[in-house]
Amino acid sequence: MRVLDSHLHLWDPELLHYTWLEGPLAWLFGETEIEHARIGNATSERAVFVQAETIEDDFLDEVRWVASLAARIGVVGIVAGARLDRGTDTTAHLEGLAAEPLVVGVRHNLQGESDGLAVSAAFVTGAREVAAHGWAFDACIRASQLPEVARLAGAVPELRIVLDHLGKPQVGTADAPVAPTMEWVRDLDDLARHPNVLCKLSGLPAEAGGDWSAEQMHPFLDAAADAFGAERLMWGSDWPVSVIGPAEADDPYANEDGTPMYQPTARSRWADAVSGWAERRGHDVDAIMWRNAEEFYRVGARPPREDAREERPRRGFLGWLRGDRA
């Protein structure tokens, strides 16, 4: 099975600035870390990097850092951070991003924004500029914001939009699963009526706090398939956000107090869960795990570029697991 991960994060808190990292996530997740999280049964593995919510001043530096790693880790496209509601500042930022060959899309993280921003005149203007550059837009929202993204899709039909994490519905946990709500299914169906919108099968493990089962997720995957069709779905790992939770069985580094920690096999487990579901349902597994993301982000003929980088001392989570926690 070949895998094009449509939603991979990387970060380096010693190089860039983040205000949201805490606990097991507040460490470097870069080249070495992703090499230890490869998908076990993948015959070929590539990824699209999605901006990791640095501070705004670091958006362009984040792109350049990831581009410097891309060839070695298999990143074939970058979804860059951008604010689309800043008028001439938005225009200038997008022009700066246009000089970076690996940029294939942008994300203005909407999940914490006030109601109405995504359909404001300033945002719609910025969205049209994104489309004019030939880029896609990642919509990271909460379930209540699905109607707003549908309005954006209608206002800018030339903009390719992908819904991150199925709109973050409540899923419960493995022991206490929650069924999809009628409101979420309705709003997902309404969004899918816009042909310029696709959906990422990503992020649900994080919504379960890392305590999930494949069977628990099937109703949500089924709802997405019913709404979008398999030809508009793409798999994403949401690594490393979606690999934090209770210790996996037989993990020698498990926290004695039971607090959440990094789950070494969770990325592979999520790939297996989605590909196994797709196969059982008779969906095109290669389309969901590779081809749809390749076509949406237009990365089929885009090899990673090789850039030099300066070696620096590392403080990644692997060192943290081994006791380097000072």
Side-chain angles (χ1 to χ4, degrees), residues 298-321:
R298 300 175 178 173
V299 296
R302 181 190 295 265
R305 73 182 189 188
E306 181 72 64
D307 288 341
R309 70 183 175 103
E310 179 184 356
E311 292 292 339
R312 300 185 299 109
R314 302 178 50 80
R315 287 182 60 81
F317 80 91
L318 294 176
W320 180 82
L321 286 175

Side-chain angles (χ1 to χ4, degrees), residues 29-209:
F29 285 86
E31 182 178 354
T32 298
E33 289 70 35
I34 191 59
E35 286 301 325
H36 285 81
R38 292 300 183 188
I39 295 166
N41 64 346
T43 57
S44 179
E45 186 180 327
R46 296 289 185 270
V48 172
F49 167 82
V50 177
Q51 66 97 11
E53 205 62 9
T54 65
I55 63 170
E56 189 175 344
D57 287 346
D58 284 353
F59 281 168
L60 190 53
D61 288 336
E62 180 184 48
V63 169
R64 291 167 176 161
W65 173 62
V66 174
S68 75
L69 306 176
R72 293 187 297 278
I73 63 179
V75 167
V76 293
I78 292 173
V79 176
R83 294 283 310 194
L84 300 187
D85 59 342
R86 299 289 174 82
T88 56
D89 287 343
T90 294
T91 300
H93 179 60
L94 296 181
E95 289 298 325
L97 292 178
E100 298 298 323
L102 285 180
V103 171
V104 295
V106 302
R107 183 169 80 161
H108 178 144
N109 199 329
L110 290 169
Q111 63 182 340
E113 297 284 13
S114 57
D115 292 345
L117 177 69
V119 290
S120 66
F123 194 98
V124 169
T125 298
R128 288 178 176 145
E129 291 188 48
V130 173
H133 280 282
W135 295 330
F137 177 71
D138 268 58
C140 184
I141 60 169
R142 298 290 179 185
S144 62
Q145 296 170 295
L146 283 166
E148 194 165 314
V149 176
R151 291 172 60 196
L152 174 65
V156 193
E158 69 273 25
L159 179 65
R160 289 173 290 121
I161 299 173
V162 61
L163 176 66
D164 292 351
H165 316 324
L166 294 87
K168 294 194 168 185
Q170 293 185 4
V171 299
T173 63
D175 292 334
V178 173
T181 66
M182 293 177 60
E183 293 79 11
W184 174 76
V185 172
R186 176 199 64 206
D187 292 342
L188 196 71
D189 288 344
D190 288 345
L191 178 59
R193 291 191 176 94
H194 296 274
N196 53 323
V197 183
L198 279 74
C199 179
K200 288 185 182 180
L201 305 181
S202 61
L204 296 188
E207 296 307 301

Side-chain angles (χ1 to χ4, degrees), residues 11-13 17-23 25-27 29 52-53 241:
W11 54 73
D12 186 345
H17 302 87
Y18 311 82
T19 61
W20 64 279
L21 296 179
E22 61 183 8
L25 290 177
W27 290 80
F29 285 86
E53 205 62 9
V241 178

